[in-house]
Amino acid sequence: MPKTDVSQLSRRSFLKLGAATASALAVGQFIAPPVARAARQAHLLDSNGSGYISTMCEMCVWRCGVRAKVVEEKVVKLEGNPDHPHSKGKLCARGQSGLMTTYDPDRVLTPLIRVGKRGEGKFRQASWDEALDLVAEQMLSIKSKYGPEAMVFSSTHNLSQPLFENLLYGFGSPNYGTQRSLCFNAMIVANSITYGMEEPARDYSQVKYIILTGRNLTEAISTSETSDLIDSISGGAKVVYIDPRFTKTASKATEWLPIRPGTDLAFHLAMINVIIAEKLYDAAFVDKYTLGFDQVASLTMSTTPEWAATLTGIEAGTIRRIAEEFGAAGKYALAHNGWRTSNFINSFPTERAISILNAVVGNWGTTMFPSSGEGAGVLGSPPQPAYPRISAQRLDGVPWMYPFVPLKIGVFQQLRDSIVAGTPYEPHGWFISRQNPVQSLPDRQKTLEAFQKMDLIVTMDILVNDTDWFSDVVLPEASYLERYDPLVPMGNQVYIRQPVIEPQGEAKSALWVYKELGTRLGLADFFQYKDEVDYINQQLAPTGIPLETLRLHGNATLPTSTGSDIYEWSTPSGKVELFSSLLEKAKFDPVPIWTDPPQPKAGEFYLLTGKVGQHTQFGTQNNQLLHKYQDVPRLWMAPEAAKSLGLSDWDTVQVTSPVGTVQVALQVTDAMRTDCVYLTPGFGHLSMALRTAYGVGASDSVLHVTYTDPISGGQALSQTFVSVKKA
Ligand code: SF4
């Protein structure tokens, strides 16, 4: 196999590695014979080779239904599946640009083995056999020298996760990193403690009053919820949007409250104070279904709107009026838990306060419902043995430091910090699937330090992203339009992700990679399927649904199981726990209590983060279509703040935090509080193999300081303070 220096490859060389080109995209891509043959057999295409193939989007984690439009055996367009509850016939900009990700000229289409220094971007191409043999040999060597716990595994949330878990738990490692602690740990742990479920479902069909605390729904991933919100606004619902930044959601809201960062908790405690003091709560629901109302009433006696006004910067009269309006809406009110509330060091009690607010107005069964969660349901699975017993502590501190964090969620930033510290033990290898911790974890320098401590880094991805750039072996995964994935039910429906085009180059599905690697590691019993189709057939076996039916329609109805009582909660008391005995036992505040969070010094700003609708975290910036739709990402700053620093629009500024410095162009805008700046995440890529995204914008991961909430394990991404000056 030839040597490949990815950093030196010209665009022409990269194109030669794959079967597809950008010009092929412009005219539509022929679907390759095996996929076309299967599509014809499944009656998806007519005699002219035209029709639709149903599958599922993976440009983000929301999994909208897609119908790939095929004309004379060419895929010409991706459309939303009208029968899918997430897409409802529509795809967002990212979903519509999916073909461009599949045909990205920077796709990695053969396994790569590092030949230069780690981080130099020098690789040679390798065969699958050579790459997998090398990975298996080195993983087994690490296991025999240091024990299975010396291998760390991390992955994004995706449909092939059960097989990834077989790989890591079958291998015998407890060390499992996900992205969740960088996103919504505070929300899910607060809900688990209050309602006994990670995230109750929200229903907008009857909602009359909505409070969105930093939940920028119109630029969020969950687009079906966005459309439910817009429908409810059209139907007359009032929306109060609380965020230091004027986002696109603020533009749709009835009222925008530019709250002081980190004081959402004070606002919600004052809401509870008014609702209880003015007896606006649902006494019948509270009496019958909740625990700890008296303790909450007593602890919120002093959290009046006047008290909260001094902290939040929102007038007491406004807080009181909103509380009264929310209380009057009663069961038709909804306080959204949000994600951005997970960005401050007090996000956990804030999330608890929001959960309590919902409970006391009795909206359960009207705007909030139990969620079914994600599980196999009535689907089958291939047989497999029990996992070996694992006695080593997890490096991310779950549960020994963070007893309330679910094992499947973890505390990723703590895992990275333990690697750097070498305690409680030193890991030696890291298998990273579809993940980019260089961009996602706070304090990028520390992540690079962790990489340098590894004897082995293996990554699996469709591009050489910033983390793959530091990898020893890069395994090329098939894109979502080129592969099958395991099935996961949605309610009583199951939807399929199936190939729309043949995998390019030598890219392979995760189902194939994990089985091949698992077999080399002596774990074949955990991967008892012949191929992807056999895996799905084993899943469908108990349902009696033929795969061809699922392929043809894209979805099928599952046999229903009997519904459970919606007024049962998996908490110790079986009730909604406003007061938590679990927290009390663990010596944490059993009800949310205000303590002053850290504040920026004079001359410093809160560094805020938040999504834009054109991109999914760190994974879509190299998509050439989305790149065109994205304005140059700049640092937002209020005019008064810019003036005080002698700065103007488009000035290049230097932004400095306690852990790093970046340079970026300035955007002077009225859409910010004067004490905050905002940087769009996902830019400032390190990998020169991302030739569209490389050199664009700056990364907030360079600036973020690691602050971990001791209860939920969530990273407080907006707790970093920065100084700004002209570069
Ligand atoms: S929200 Fe957009 S990117 Fe995400 S799955 Fe749906 S269409 Fe795809």
Side-chain angles (χ1 to χ4, degrees), residues 307-506:
W307 164 81
T310 58
L311 298 164
T312 60
I314 301 169
E315 285 179 8
T318 303
I319 300 174
R320 187 176 300 284
R321 171 179 53 78
I322 290 170
E324 288 168 348
E325 290 171 354
F326 191 85
K331 64 181 182 177
Y332 302 105
L334 174 65
H336 196 301
N337 273 112
W339 269 253
R340 296 274 74 90
T341 42
S342 304
N343 273 339
F344 298 100
I345 202 72
N346 58 8
S347 287
F348 175 75
T350 306
E351 293 285 4
R352 278 270 294 149
I354 294 173
S355 296
I356 290 169
L357 185 60
N358 281 312
V360 295
V361 295
N363 64 8
W364 194 258
T366 305
T367 61
M368 282 180 65
F369 287 87
S371 57
S372 47
E374 209 172 74
V378 293
L379 294 175
S381 61
Q384 65 178 66
Y387 294 132
R389 192 170 169 277
I390 298 172
S391 52
Q393 284 183 314
R394 281 174 57 129
L395 290 169
D396 68 356
V398 180
W400 55 283
M401 277 167 78
Y402 303 103
F404 292 105
V405 178
L407 293 173
K408 265 181 181 288
I409 304 290
V411 183
F412 197 27
Q413 67 277 19
Q414 181 63 52
L415 173 59
R416 187 273 318 269
D417 286 358
S418 295
I419 294 171
V420 172
T423 53
Y425 52 86
E426 289 200 326
H428 291 263
W430 195 345
F431 189 112
I432 304 170
S433 173
R434 295 189 203 166
Q435 209 184 30
N436 191 356
V438 170
Q439 281 281 2
S440 61
L441 282 169
D443 196 346
R444 176 184 281 187
Q445 198 48 44
K446 224 176 188 184
T447 307
L448 301 183
E449 218 181 295
F451 285 170
Q452 293 308 336
K453 298 195 120 195
M454 291 292 139
D455 302 337
L456 173 70
I457 300 178
V458 184
T459 56
M460 186 171 87
D461 214 318
I462 65 166
L463 296 167
V464 176
N465 74 28
D466 312 281
T467 297
D468 304 301
W469 191 250
F470 292 83
S471 182
D472 301 321
V473 183
V474 182
L475 306 175
E477 194 182 6
S479 82
Y480 73 97
L481 294 173
E482 301 167 326
R483 63 166 201 260
Y484 286 100
D485 268 341
L487 306 172
V488 171
M490 275 182 68
N492 69 342
Q493 295 289 306
V494 64
Y495 296 85
I496 189 167
R497 177 170 290 140
Q498 61 179 325
V500 169
I501 52 174
E502 203 65 14
Q504 299 167 78
E506 294 172 37

Side-chain angles (χ1 to χ4, degrees), residues 57 59-60 62-64 91-92 94-95 221 223:
C57 184
M59 291 293 284
C60 81
W62 198 236
R63 301 176 192 157
C64 291
L91 295 179
C92 74
R94 297 163 296 151
I221 275 174
T223 47

Side-chain angles (χ1 to χ4, degrees), residues 702-717:
V702 173
L703 300 169
H704 282 144
V705 178
T706 310
Y707 285 111
T708 301
D709 165 34
I711 301 177
S712 73
Q715 156 70 18
L717 278 174

Side-chain angles (χ1 to χ4, degrees), residues 567-580:
Y567 294 99
E568 277 175 8
W569 295 275
S570 301
T571 54
S573 63
K575 294 188 169 189
V576 180
E577 297 208 347
L578 313 182
F579 176 98
S580 168

Side-chain angles (χ1 to χ4, degrees), residues 7 112 155 188 351 451 535 570 627 639 669:
S7 66
L112 299 175
S155 151
I188 60 167
E351 293 285 4
F451 285 170
Y535 185 91
S570 301
H627 179 74
T669 169

